[in-house]
């Protein structure tokens, strides 16, 4: 499964002969948003992170089977940039970057979405999205502060980029590489 940024589609490739890959299918993501950002595959399920047409709006995680059949689509935070499965395969995590528009008029909160994929069907009720605003004092080190124009909140300024999950699937780490 390959991200095709030019056509905003998931290309399904047959790698039986690694020196001569063959494209065997394509899944368009345009119905779900503007840009395909990331893919993850596990246990016969493909998860695709798709940014909204307006990148400051909430994005989608789109699920298909590895044979190309639609499973579900759920809404996550703005700008889902990276998607991954937990090692135990029970959850999908999305780093939702929440980048501002070019003029900082709209600056959504960065967030992490956790999607439970253990049920028979994946629905919006299986999505938990966590932000950074409103956390208890001391959770975020006091030396970390918002830098963006217009006095953003810490949640607006922190922009999750990547997620790494511990082998036991109990802990995740998120990089905030664009925070000044």
């Amino acid at each position: 499964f390959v991200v095709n940024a030019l056509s905003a589609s998931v290309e399904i490739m047959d790698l039986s002969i690694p020196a001569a890959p063959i494209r065997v299918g394509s899944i368009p993501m345009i119905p779900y948003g503007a840009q395909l950002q990331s893919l993850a595959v596990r246990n016969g399920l493909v998860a695709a992170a798709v940014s909204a047409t307006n990148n400051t709006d909430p994005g989608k995680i789109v699920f298909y089977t590895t044979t190309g059949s639609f499973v579900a689509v759920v809404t996550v935070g703005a700008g889902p940039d990276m998607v991954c499965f937990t090692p135990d395969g029970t959850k999908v995590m999305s780093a939702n970057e929440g980048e501002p528009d070019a003029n900082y008029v709209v600056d959504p909160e960065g967030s992490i979405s956790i999607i439970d994929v253990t049920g028979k069907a994946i629905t919006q009720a299986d999505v938990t999205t966590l932000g950074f605003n409103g956390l208890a004092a001391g959770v975020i080190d006091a030396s970390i502060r918002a830098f963006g124009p217009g006095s953003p909140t810490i949640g607006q300024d922190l922009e999750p980029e990547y997620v790494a999950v511990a082998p036991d699937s109990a802990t995740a780490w998120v990089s905030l590489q664009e925070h000044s």
Side-chain angles (χ1 to χ4, degrees):
F1 299 89
V2 178
V3 171
N4 183 333
L6 293 176
S7 66
S9 62
V10 176
E11 302 298 337
I12 304 171
M13 307 297 290
D14 179 347
L15 301 176
S16 299
I17 303 170
I22 300 169
R23 181 177 166 269
V24 295
S26 183
I27 305 169
M29 291 291 123
I30 291 296
Y32 309 107
Q35 190 171 10
L36 176 58
Q37 300 288 354
S38 174
L39 295 172
V41 182
R42 183 167 177 106
N43 298 334
L45 195 60
V46 178
V50 182
S51 293
T53 302
N54 178 348
N55 198 43
T56 59
D57 289 343
K60 306 283 186 198
I61 303 298
V62 184
F63 294 93
Y64 277 82
T65 65
T66 52
T67 58
S69 297
F70 177 80
V71 174
V73 60
V74 296
T75 301
V76 294
D81 202 32
M82 187 257 185
V83 65
C84 68
F85 282 85
T86 56
D88 65 7
T90 64
K91 303 210 175 19
V92 168
M93 299 189 70
S94 171
N96 309 313
E97 198 165 0
E99 289 181 304
D101 64 10
N103 299 314
Y104 273 85
V105 173
V106 178
D107 188 0
E109 184 177 358
S111 62
I112 302 297
S113 293
I114 304 163
I115 306 160
D116 184 340
V117 294
T118 58
K120 292 181 182 179
I122 300 167
T123 69
Q124 194 63 42
D126 296 313
V127 180
T128 301
T129 298
L130 307 170
F132 299 97
N133 290 333
L135 295 174
V139 171
I140 296 177
D141 187 299
S143 66
I144 298 172
R145 58 190 181 89
F147 287 91
S151 301
T153 64
I154 194 68
Q156 289 170 294
D157 208 39
L158 297 179
E159 298 178 359
E161 189 84 25
Y162 298 101
V163 178
V165 183
D168 67 359
S169 299
T171 306
W173 294 268
V174 179
S175 70
L176 305 170
Q177 75 180 25
E178 293 175 357
H179 179 68
S180 302

